[in-house]
Amino acid sequence: MSRRVAIVTDSTAYLPPAALDRHNIDVVPLTVVLGGQALEEGTEISARSLEEALRERRAVTTSRPSPAVFAETYRAAAEAGAEGIVSLHLSGEISGTYDAAVLAARDAPVPVRVVDSGLVAMALGFCALEAAETAAAGGSLEEAVAAAEKRAEGMSAYFYVDTLDYLRRGGRIGAAAKLLGSALAVKPLLELVDGRIAMLEKVRTASKAIARLEELAVERAGDARVDIAVHHLAAQQRAEELAERLRERVPGLGELHVSEVGAVIGAHTGPGLLGAVVSLR
């Protein structure tokens, strides 16, 4: 079904397929380069293949979509009836995806508002859903952008990783870099701050770190109405158990998603990732 305002995001939003279909959101894939072969996230490389490559310490890198891919996506949306497009993407501090979208938007056949969410994973995904719901209700291009930006203001994302080594290799560790020497021996908790991955706390054991991750999510939610996403890579049981505890402990919980991150984020975090995204409604 055509929509006056189309919503585009990228594959690092990790939105459930049912949500993408229900809200008619277009997804532009980022690329993972493995063994010299460029593979599209979500269609050409699985989390399992990535996990195997990382455990074998094979070289894995990631790259942004080309402006041409965005241009084709915008053209298709316009041909389907869109009079404007909101293009929401992961933090420009982490990836050049936003820049590629901006380049393509200059020559798009309809107005395109490209938004650097400053976020990633379902923190980005919740913003895309908010924009899509606003557009579906008849909202204008500017109203859909404003809705996404407002949702972004109430977003918190916390992550546990087994090691900072993968983030160090990919140069994505930001403000935490100076702590590498001592942090590699402990279990780090990270958060998104101003679009970058930053050290939050250092915990001695995995069990204590995961318990602390839970507390952070519960404290952030408080008694407010919130949606929560629990992410993982090769840690399905941990994720399900965390989600169940949050379901019991967060009184204002709305939607609760549990999903495995894709290859792009997984390449920088490594197996064992566990994350909690809290989105104020």
Side-chain angles (χ1 to χ4, degrees):
M1 180 174 61
S2 65
R3 184 173 293 170
R4 191 164 63 92
V5 177
I7 308 301
V8 175
T9 190
D10 60 69
S11 58
T12 69
Y14 302 129
L15 282 159
L20 292 172
D21 292 340
R22 184 167 66 251
H23 295 280
N24 200 26
I25 298 172
D26 293 317
V27 176
V28 174
L30 273 72
T31 300
V32 176
V33 181
L34 177 61
Q37 184 177 10
L39 304 168
E40 287 188 354
E41 180 175 45
T43 59
E44 296 179 336
I45 182 170
S46 67
R48 294 285 75 75
S49 297
L50 171 73
E51 179 192 356
E52 180 180 346
L54 291 175
R55 294 193 188 280
E56 293 174 354
R57 300 188 69 82
R58 294 160 62 191
V60 180
T61 59
T62 61
S63 65
R64 71 180 193 178
S66 69
V69 174
F70 277 108
E72 174 58 25
T73 301
Y74 298 156
R75 183 195 61 76
E79 290 181 353
E83 299 172 9
I85 300 169
V86 180
S87 199
L88 289 152
H89 301 292
L90 80 160
S91 172
E93 295 287 342
I94 298 174
S95 167
T97 300
Y98 168 81
D99 295 330
V102 169
L103 287 173
R106 294 174 182 172
D107 298 319
V110 296
V112 179
R113 281 291 308 276
V114 183
V115 178
D116 179 352
S117 71
L119 303 168
V120 74
M122 272 298 292
L124 167 60
F126 283 130
C127 294
L129 290 175
E130 191 73 27
E133 289 171 359
T134 300
S140 68
L141 179 64
E142 293 304 321
E143 287 171 336
V145 170
E149 292 179 337
K150 182 178 180 181
R151 189 72 180 258
E153 292 173 359
M155 203 75 63
S156 298
Y158 309 104
F159 302 96
Y160 158 80
V161 291
D162 277 335
T163 173
L164 287 173
D165 190 43
Y166 297 102
L167 284 162
R168 177 187 58 77
R169 291 186 217 170
R172 297 303 199 276
I173 203 165
K178 63 183 180 181
L179 300 174
L180 270 172
S182 59
L184 285 173
V186 298
K187 299 301 181 182
L189 288 173
L190 311 171
E191 65 176 335
L192 275 174
V193 179
D194 297 328
R196 296 184 67 84
I197 298 169
M199 177 71 76
L200 177 61
E201 297 178 9
K202 294 181 291 181
V203 185
R204 289 295 178 186
T205 66
S207 60
K208 289 181 179 179
I210 293 170
R212 180 59 180 146
L213 177 69
E214 177 183 338
E215 290 303 321
L216 288 167
V218 171
E219 290 168 8
R220 182 69 181 94
D223 295 326
R225 292 182 63 220
V226 298
D227 295 324
I228 292 178
V230 174
H231 288 302
H232 73 94
L233 180 62
Q236 181 72 35
Q237 183 174 347
R238 278 180 176 177
E240 294 287 356
E241 291 171 351
L242 175 59
E244 186 57 36
R245 293 193 298 270
L246 292 175
R247 187 177 287 110
E248 295 171 354
R249 298 187 62 189
V250 178
L253 183 62
E255 295 182 12
L256 176 61
H257 299 276
V258 179
S259 65
E260 189 165 36
V261 300
V264 168
I265 299 304
H268 297 294
T269 62
L273 165 75
L274 196 61
V277 174
V278 180
S279 176
L280 301 182
R281 302 186 70 175

